[in-house]
Each structure stands twice: as C-alpha cells, then as structure tokens.
C-alpha cells in the first residue's frame, strides 16, 4: 500500500485556493483590481404579438463611465435575445456560451430553439457557480409555444413574468411599468412604454445612462433597434473647432557645448585600501 | 486575564456617559418602523400620503399608526422610520409651539421655521452619534406661501416640490418627476399620490393597504378618513405563468 496521494482529475467550478492569500494581501492594503460592471436598467415586456426587450447603454467601472454606448442586448438565437446586468464579463461570457450551445442543439435537433432551453442552460450554469458569476438576465423570445419572458438572478433562480426589470435602475423602471402596463399592448404602445421605462432608469438612476436600445421579437421576425432613442446628445460643440498648433513651438535657440569628459587614472594601489 | 468576552464588549458607551450601564446608550438600529411617505405641492397647498402600518422587524405589528400629524397652525409633519423617535420629535415640537404661543405676539411659527428647527435637531443628534432614526417631511402654507421640505436622519435637508421617503425615493420619485406640474388641482394631486402609493403597495414588502391622506391649505388641515386602494391582479399571465413550459416554476 503506497502512501502517495492518488492524482485526482481536476473538478469543475471555481478553485478557491487563492482566497486566503488574497485576504492576507487585502489586510496589508493591496487593493484587488476593480471590474467593469454594467450598473444598468434592463426591461422586458410581453405585448400582443411577442416580446419587447429594452436596455440602457452605460457601462461603469466604479464611479467612472467606461463605455458610453455599450450593447447590453445579447443575441442568443434568431428568435431569442437576452439583456444582461451585473458584471459585464460575466453577462457576455455566459450569453455567448449558451448561444453556442443553443446553436449546436439546433444542428442536432433541426428545430428552432425554445426559450425554456436557453433558460434552463443559463440557470443551471449560474446555480452551479453559486452566485459567483454575477449575471442578472432578462431573457425573452418567441418560439412555437408562444412569447416568453423570464428573469434570471445570479444565484440561479428564475421568474416567468409578463413584464420584468433588472439592474440598479430596476425600481425606477418598475414604477413606470406598474403604473402603465396592461395586457394586449400593440407594438408601438409597447415600444413607447419600454422606452419610457428605460428613460426613467436613465434619468433617475446614476448607474444607468446614455441611450435606449430596443429589441422587438415576434413570431418569425425580429427587429434590433440599436440606439432607438438618444436622450442625452452632446449639445455643445464649439463652432470654431479646436485648433491645435501644427508643430511644437520653438522657444529658444542657443547652443551650449558640453564639457569634455576627463578620465582620472589612479595609481594601481588605491583600490586595496 | 479574561477568558471569552467580558461584559465590556456588550456595552456600547458614549464617551462621558455613566459607565457600567448594561445597555446601549445610543441608537443602533430602528425597531418599530414606518415605511414610505409621499408628499407634493399642489395648487392650493400641500398633500401628504402615508400608509398606516408600522412593522416590528418583519412583522406588520401595528396597522393604525398615524404617521402624519399637524404642527402648530401652519404645518404638517410626516415621518418614516422609527416610530418612537417620531413621537419624541412631536414632543419637542409641542414644546416649541407652546413657547411660541406664550409670546402671544400675533406671530406663529410657519413651516420654514419648523423645518429649520428640525434640521438643527436631526443634525445635532447625528453629530453625537445618537440619531433620531427618521426621514421627516415637513409641509405647510403660511400667508399664501406653500412650503415643502425634507430632513433625513443624518441632517440632510432640502426644499422641493415633491418628496418621497424610504422606498418611495426609488419607486415614487420617477413618477413624480415626470408627472408633477405647478397647477395640479386637488383631484389630480390625489390621483397622482394614489398612483405612487399603489406602486409602493405592490413593490414594498412593508406596505399596508390602508392609506392616510392629509391636506393642508391656508384655511387649515384636513384629515381624510383612511381607505384602501384598489389593486389589479387579473393578468392573464398570472393565471398560468408557465403555460407551454412543463415543469418550470
């Protein structure tokens, strides 16, 4: 019987081996690098013929806006789109991953993807990582069973709703939905309501801002209205332009010869003392 | 040498206070709390709305608490947060109004003055690390001038045309910003307040469906009897949310 440890195959999920060392470093004052969060308002609602998803376009890194016009509505399948709030890397990676899994599944089955498939793939992945993958998603799409709208929380729980909001601006957007939503909205009314909800998030929440993106999904057809509304235009631009001098200015012309370098040769014994 | 925690570790003491007391001598957490409050200026005066509930942690303990009270002849005070601190503030204001009346000089404290007093009160308590755990809303009309202001528990104070405390800050303020205007009639103002209170009822877990609306105009205060809001739960999607997706929740 050997006393050596059997070499175990690496398990899936995160490895928390460095946590202790990170804690120790944090106590000594070393700050970990901050990550880009989307600090967002994302909404979805079900209207007469399908689903409308909306999102703002601001990405923040702490107090700074790092991307004024990012895309938060991600493609999952020709009939399914997903808005993401939370850590930008997590939402992008998770939606990309599930999108490719759906594509492979489509090749395998030869059928249009169902929204529940995307939902199950996403929630299984997120639950597996116990909330460490910080992606809060609003998933919407139309398949042969009808229009569906779901919210997925970072820990893996899901909700099936007629109207949903997520992100830091979710309360501002929810207040608009709660007061104005009704069933059986037409396409234009739905777009108007979604735009209003996102604008409410943009103007009342600091983590959301810039423009409104909208995606309308109906049976067999989708419309991605990128920058549907631009309520924050850059209004002042100087008419004279910003002239910069074409070359560096010459301030002074004076030639100073450098002094000649003199070599000192010491007597050989000096180093030994 | 002490093994384990000594008594000293359980006692929070304010410097200069009586040592050896068993319990905290400053406010650490609120216990019985009132939730959001919404108020706005309309054509003839101020309208304030609050629900009549007070929670003890996660229990809805009291359902007939009046969180809006008149102060003097010209003002209304509404509070969300710790109810006992609200009652204490009412006692302070009682004393203030009493002393003002004793002067008997024909002048009376208006909403602006009371607001100022409250700001000083809250800020001073906060500086002693012993806050009065409330968000106060002060509104009133004096000599035709309408006034509405808010003071938070740390002493932040400002004057605005529409205010909301607690959850109302996130849920009601966007609605008020969009739909408030200078010349709201009484009916329109009540409709707007009801809209905000309804959203709070849907989305705030500590809300109670029993609304108290109080109006103050140049003529005086009118306390309306409490009533419930109508709610709508009849969405088709609520009937069978997972239709077509067997096994989903």
């Amino acid at each position: 019987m050997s006393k050596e440890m059997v070499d175990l195959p690496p398990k899936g999920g995160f490895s928390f081996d460095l946590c202790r060392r990170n804690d120790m470093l944090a106590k000594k004052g070393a700050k970990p690098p901050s990550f880009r969060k989307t600090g967002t308002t994302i909404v979805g609602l079900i209207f007469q013929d399908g689903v409308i998803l909306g999102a703002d376009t601001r990405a923040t890194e702490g107090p700074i806006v790092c991307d004024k016009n990012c895309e938060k509505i991600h493609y999952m399948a020709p009939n399914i789109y997903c808005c993401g709030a939370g850590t930008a890397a997590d939402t992008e990676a998770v939606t990309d991953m599930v999108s490719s899994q759906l594509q492979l599944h489509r090749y395998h089955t030869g059928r249009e993807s169902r929204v529940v498939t995307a939902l199950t793939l996403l929630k299984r992945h997120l639950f597996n990582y116990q909330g460490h993958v910080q992606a809060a998603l609003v998933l919407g799409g139309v398949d042969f069973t009808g229009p569906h709208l779901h919210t997925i929380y970072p820990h893996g729980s899901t909700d099936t709703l007629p109207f949903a909001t997520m992100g830091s601006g979710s309360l501002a957007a929810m207040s608009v939905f709660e007061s104005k939503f009704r069933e059986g909205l037409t396409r234009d009314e739905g777009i108007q309501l979604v735009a209003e909800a996102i604008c409410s998030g943009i103007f009342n929440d600091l983590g959301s801002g810039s423009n409104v993106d909208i995606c309308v999904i109906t049976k067999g057809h989708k419309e991605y209205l990128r920058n549907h509304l631009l309520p924050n235009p850059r209004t002042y631009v100087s008419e004279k332009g910003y002239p910069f001098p074409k070359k560096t200015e010459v301030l002074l012309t004076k030639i100073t010869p450098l002094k000649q370098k003199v070599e000192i040769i010491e007597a050989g014994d000096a180093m030994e003392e | 040498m002490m093994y384990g925690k000594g008594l000293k570790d359980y006692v929070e003491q304010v410097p200069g206070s009586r040592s050896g007391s068993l319990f905290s001598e400053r406010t650490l957490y609120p216990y019985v709390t009132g939730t959001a409050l919404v108020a706005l200026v309309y054509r003839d005066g101020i309208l304030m709305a609050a629900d009549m509930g007070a929670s003890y942690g996660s229990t809805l303990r009291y359902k007939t608490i009046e969180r809006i009270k008149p102060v003097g002849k010209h003002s209304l005070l509404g509070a969300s947060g710790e109810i006992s601190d609200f009652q204490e503030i009412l006692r302070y204001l009682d004393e203030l109004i009493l002393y003002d009346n004793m002067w008997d000089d024909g002048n009376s404290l208006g909403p602006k003055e009371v607001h100022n007093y409250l700001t000083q009160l809250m800020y001073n308590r906060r500086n002693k690390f012993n806050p009065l755990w409330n968000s106060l809303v002060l509104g009133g009309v004096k000599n035709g001038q309408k006034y509405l202001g808010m003071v938070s528990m740390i002493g932040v104070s400002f004057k605005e045309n529409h205010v909301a405390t607690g959850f109302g800050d996130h849920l009601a303020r966007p609605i008020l910003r969009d739909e408030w205007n200078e010349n709201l009639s009484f009916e329109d103002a009540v409709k707007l307040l009801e809209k905000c209170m309804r959203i709070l009822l849907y989305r705030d877990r500590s809300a109670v469906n029993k609304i108290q609306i109080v109006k103050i105009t140049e003529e005086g205060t009118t306390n309306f009897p409490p009533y419930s809001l109508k709610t709508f739960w009849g969405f088709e999607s609520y009937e069978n949310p997972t239709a077509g997706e067997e096994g989903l929740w």
Side-chain angles (χ1 to χ4, degrees), chain B:
Chain B
M1 166 84 153
M2 294 266 277
Y3 291 99
K5 281 191 165 201
L7 189 62
K8 279 244 169 67
D9 297 299
Y10 292 108
V11 177
E12 292 267 8
Q13 291 191 345
V14 177
S17 71
R18 217 177 66 238
S19 65
S21 61
L22 239 59
F23 302 105
S24 162
E25 299 204 2
R26 56 189 184 88
T27 309
L28 291 171
Y29 343 90
Y31 285 96
V32 180
T33 52
T35 182
L37 195 114
V38 191
L40 47 73
V41 174
Y42 76 107
R43 201 170 47 200
D44 309 320
I46 313 284
L47 258 181
M48 259 195 228
D51 67 23
M52 297 191 80
S55 324
Y56 182 53
S58 41
T59 328
L60 260 177
R61 176 76 177 79
Y62 303 101
K63 299 196 190 175
T64 323
I65 298 277
E66 278 186 25
R67 290 194 288 121
I68 306 178
K69 295 275 189 189
V71 173
K73 279 194 285 192
H74 302 284
S75 334
L76 273 182
L77 176 68
S80 72
E82 174 63 63
I83 299 292
S84 63
D85 283 344
F86 176 48
Q87 292 171 344
E88 178 83 358
I89 292 173
L90 287 174
R91 275 192 286 274
Y92 281 134
L93 286 176
D94 229 3
E95 207 182 302
L96 182 77
I97 301 286
L98 182 72
Y99 281 143
D100 184 53
N101 283 341
M102 292 204 303
W103 282 106
D104 202 15
D105 55 2
N107 199 5
S108 50
L109 287 174
K112 191 155 180 235
E113 290 83 48
V114 180
H115 189 213
N116 201 350
Y117 176 79
L118 287 172
T119 313
Q120 297 302 313
L121 179 66
M122 303 298 271
Y123 185 62
N124 273 296
R125 287 290 296 254
R126 165 259 196 187
N127 283 342
K128 294 182 197 150
F129 276 90
N130 187 11
L132 288 160
W133 210 287
N134 291 112
S135 287
L136 302 168
V137 174
L138 203 298
V141 190
K142 186 177 175 198
N143 298 337
Q145 294 273 38
K146 301 179 280 247
Y147 187 92
L148 182 63
M150 201 171 123
V151 191
S152 81
M153 100 184 184
I154 50 174
V156 177
S157 111
F158 54 90
K159 167 177 180 279
E160 219 349 322
N161 286 319
H162 48 262
V163 295
T165 65
F167 246 100
D169 213 1
H170 298 107
L171 290 169
R173 227 174 232 154
I175 304 281
L176 290 168
R177 278 186 180 157
D178 267 346
E179 302 189 14
W180 182 86
N181 67 66
E182 279 269 9
N183 281 314
L184 282 172
S185 68
F186 176 66
E187 290 78 26
D188 286 337
V190 172
K191 272 211 201 98
L192 186 54
L193 277 181
E194 280 189 353
K195 201 179 204 179
C196 297
M197 296 307 286
R198 188 170 292 117
I199 298 173
L200 285 166
L201 182 63
Y202 284 139
R203 296 281 163 178
D204 180 4
R205 81 166 189 174
S206 32
V208 173
N209 198 359
K210 196 170 171 190
I211 312 292
Q212 175 198 24
I213 295 197
V214 188
K215 163 179 96 153
I216 184 166
T217 56
E218 188 71 53
E219 288 84 51
T221 319
T222 320
N223 229 316
F224 293 103
Y227 65 101
S228 322
L229 291 171
K230 269 200 293 219
T231 54
F232 179 68
W233 299 93
F235 291 118
E236 240 177 64
S237 340
Y238 284 179
E239 304 282 322
N240 199 1
T242 58
E245 302 151 314
E246 313 315 322
L248 201 69
W249 64 83

Side-chain angles (χ1 to χ4, degrees), chain A residues 207-271:
Chain A
S208 317
S210 304
N211 318 120
V212 181
D213 281 351
I214 296 205
C215 185
V216 185
I217 310 172
T218 51
K219 190 157 181 62
H221 181 66
K222 64 151 194 288
E223 250 182 279
Y224 183 35
L225 304 165
R226 168 78 172 145
N227 285 0
H228 171 72
L229 262 185
L230 295 113
N232 292 304
R234 191 175 162 212
T235 41
Y236 177 76
V237 184
S238 158
E239 299 133 10
K240 288 184 258 175
Y242 298 95
F244 296 108
K246 294 216 168 50
K247 53 180 187 200
T248 43
E249 274 183 68
V250 177
L251 291 172
L252 181 65
T253 313
K254 182 181 169 192
I255 301 172
T256 320
L258 295 169
K259 287 204 177 101
Q260 266 234 311
K261 191 170 159 194
V262 178
E263 287 224 5
I264 304 173
I265 305 163
E266 293 186 355
D269 299 335
M271 289 300 240

Side-chain angles (χ1 to χ4, degrees), chain A residues 22 52 56 104 178 221 243-244:
Chain A
N22 288 342
I52 305 181
D56 74 304
L104 288 170
E178 283 284 11
H221 181 66
F244 296 108

Side-chain angles (χ1 to χ4, degrees), chain A residues 8-17 124-125 127-130 132-133:
Chain A
L8 291 164
K11 290 190 218 153
F14 291 130
S15 141
F16 292 97
D17 296 337
R124 290 239 173 103
H125 181 86
F127 181 73
N128 219 1
Y129 284 84
Q130 288 293 297
H132 288 285
V133 174

